[in-house]
Amino acid sequence: LLLLTNASGSLRSHLPPGSLMLIADHINAPQRSPLIGQPGNDRFTDMSAAYDPELREHAKKVARAHNLAVGEGTYVWALGPQFETPAEIRMFSAWGADAVGMSTVPETILARHAGLRVMGLALMTNMAAGLSEEALTHALTLQQAQLSGERAANYLGWVLGSLAQVESLRS
């Protein structure tokens, strides 16, 4: 299994900076795939459950056991490296996205193609463009990640430790 993490911009007021969100699904906004050029029909990978529901449920149980609020939602991938415009954020919000970032989707596609189970966790580092008065900068992203890093790292440690126990029982 593969656990992917990212820093994201939040599109929802209930996911302010510092929030954690389990990724339930994603939107591949640029419609790019790392499987382009893969020979044969093997490249047609099922993405209907890209983020493993069982892993998500397990991660939610871990959060509840530690009294940690963890959201769940849809992540939209934008190419970057520039931040999105307010108009793009309004469009992504209308599409049903809860968070936006510049990673995770290509990695998920490759992992699913390789037969891995995937769990994704997004750390909200800012409100997306047009949703706050704050100017978006990479320094802001890094600052919020630093402020929330210990809580996020503790949660990841709890999830990984408990997953290791669950997976060893399956073997």
Side-chain angles (χ1 to χ4, degrees):
L1 63 90
L2 177 65
L3 172 57
L4 295 170
T5 62
N6 66 49
S8 293
S10 175
L11 280 69
R12 307 293 179 206
S13 60
H14 70 276
L15 294 169
S19 298
L20 294 170
M21 183 190 86
L22 291 165
I23 301 173
D25 204 351
H26 73 236
I27 299 168
N28 181 345
Q31 286 297 292
R32 293 200 178 174
S33 174
L35 300 176
I36 294 293
Q38 179 79 18
N41 291 331
D42 185 40
R43 64 187 172 188
F44 297 101
T45 300
D46 181 13
M47 299 298 290
S48 59
Y51 302 91
D52 191 285
E54 185 181 7
L55 294 176
R56 258 192 345 272
E57 286 305 313
H58 181 80
K60 287 190 267 187
K61 286 179 189 173
V62 170
R64 284 191 299 271
H66 292 277
N67 290 324
L68 182 66
V70 176
E72 185 175 24
T74 299
Y75 173 85
V76 62
W77 174 43
L79 286 177
Q82 74 286 339
F83 291 97
E84 301 74 28
T85 68
E88 289 167 331
I89 294 303
R90 289 190 303 273
M91 176 183 68
F92 293 156
S93 183
W95 285 357
D98 301 296
V100 61
M102 302 172 199
S103 66
T104 306
V105 171
E107 296 91 333
T108 298
I109 294 168
L110 286 173
R112 294 299 303 134
H113 181 259
L116 298 176
R117 298 169 67 197
V118 178
M119 186 171 88
L121 180 68
L123 169 62
M124 301 305 143
T125 56
N126 56 274
M127 295 305 293
L131 300 179
S132 85
E133 298 299 316
E134 199 162 31
L136 298 178
T137 66
H138 189 60
L140 173 67
T141 299
L142 294 175
Q143 177 186 28
Q144 184 59 52
Q146 180 71 29
L147 291 171
S148 305
E150 185 176 341
R151 187 172 43 82
N154 287 339
Y155 178 59
L156 286 172
W158 299 326
V159 169
L160 290 172
S162 61
L163 280 174
Q165 291 173 350
V166 169
E167 290 301 313
S168 70
L169 294 175
R170 289 185 175 180
S171 305

